[in-house]
Amino acid sequence: MVKRQYIFFSLAMVLTAVLGSCSKSQSYSELLREEEHACNWYLASRNVSLELPDDPSDLITGSTLREDGTMWGEEAPFYKLDADGYVYMQIVRADYDDMVENGDLVYFRYLRQSIKDLWEDVSSDPGGNSDYLPNGTASFIYKNTYLSSTTTWGTGIQMPLQYVGYNSEVNLVLKSYYGFTEEQIYCVPYIINLKYFKPEY
């Protein structure tokens, strides 16, 4: 009798734990909705431009001078790069002299922070290879969709290279759809600082 009660009690505890964990999990659509809310919250306090100028040299960068002679700096606009609003670009520094062409190798350094963590006021450290050299270099072949060494980074980080060249620096609001491939299922958007470099050989 005692043994039956023990088994019944154990099963009840397991069932409670399973049901409790299920109630805390979120569906994929809920995660996407949360991602959307976090990005909207982040962009609401920024200068956003939904249209890109025809000439890339007309893009406003952090070092562009305003009419009063001051630089735009952190108030430079975030430009919407795709029709669905998955990627927004703020140009910190632009170089138009050496543009990247299809098939070119691009080295990059990055530092990123979860926008979801910022939105929920969760303390988390930025990650990447920008401020810590032992993390190594990262690279991709521009517009290549076959090599895993390129596709692992997603396509979002390549989008700014339609408008700026090597030796440029941008900030991206990057939703998971165009984010790092292995992380797309988690629906975590990032604010990511990127610096693009040309191979030295």
Side-chain angles (χ1 to χ4, degrees):
M1 181 74 169
V2 173
K3 191 173 184 181
R4 279 189 194 166
Q5 286 177 339
Y6 177 76
I7 291 172
F8 178 75
F9 180 73
S10 297
L11 287 172
M13 293 299 288
V14 169
L15 188 59
T16 301
V18 168
L19 290 175
S21 65
C22 287
S23 65
K24 292 177 185 174
S25 66
Q26 292 177 288
S27 70
Y28 185 66
S29 62
E30 288 172 327
L31 290 172
L32 286 174
R33 196 164 32 255
E34 217 171 64
E35 178 182 43
E36 184 71 22
H37 290 318
C39 287
N40 289 345
W41 167 84
Y42 185 85
L43 290 169
S45 60
R46 269 82 184 165
N47 184 9
V48 175
S49 176
L50 301 179
E51 295 183 5
L52 289 154
D54 294 330
D55 185 348
S57 63
D58 290 334
L59 290 164
I60 294 171
T61 72
S63 57
T64 301
L65 292 177
R66 301 188 227 222
E67 290 180 12
D68 65 2
T70 61
M71 282 196 260
W72 277 86
E74 292 181 3
E75 294 178 9
F78 277 87
Y79 291 98
K80 182 179 174 183
L81 293 189
D82 69 302
D84 296 311
Y86 292 137
V87 185
Y88 289 82
M89 168 187 72
Q90 179 188 53
I91 303 172
V92 178
R93 184 182 67 252
D95 189 327
Y96 305 110
D97 294 333
D98 197 359
M99 298 300 285
V100 181
E101 298 180 7
N102 289 1
D104 283 353
L105 177 63
V106 180
Y107 283 99
F108 68 97
R109 297 195 77 73
Y110 72 98
L111 191 66
R112 66 183 186 156
Q113 176 78 44
S114 163
I115 293 175
K116 200 169 175 183
D117 284 353
L118 295 172
W119 178 51
E120 295 174 342
D121 202 21
V122 173
S123 177
S124 63
D125 294 326
N129 66 358
S130 240
D131 58 351
Y132 188 59
L133 291 176
N135 280 350
T137 58
S139 64
F140 56 81
I141 305 295
Y142 184 52
K143 296 225 173 161
N144 181 288
T145 56
Y146 302 105
L147 291 175
S148 61
S149 59
T150 294
T151 58
T152 191
W153 302 109
T155 55
I157 64 168
Q158 296 189 32
M159 288 183 178
L161 295 174
Q162 298 173 62
Y163 309 100
V164 298
Y166 287 112
N167 303 312
S168 295
E169 178 181 358
V170 300
N171 292 321
L172 290 186
V173 169
L174 184 62
K175 292 185 183 176
S176 59
Y177 185 80
Y178 286 120
F180 295 0
T181 305
E182 291 181 0
E183 300 174 359
Q184 289 175 350
I185 60 169
Y186 302 114
C187 303
V188 176
Y190 286 93
I191 177 69
I192 178 168
N193 174 265
L194 284 158
K195 297 170 185 168
Y196 302 105
F197 303 99
K198 190 171 189 174
E200 294 185 2
Y201 52 83

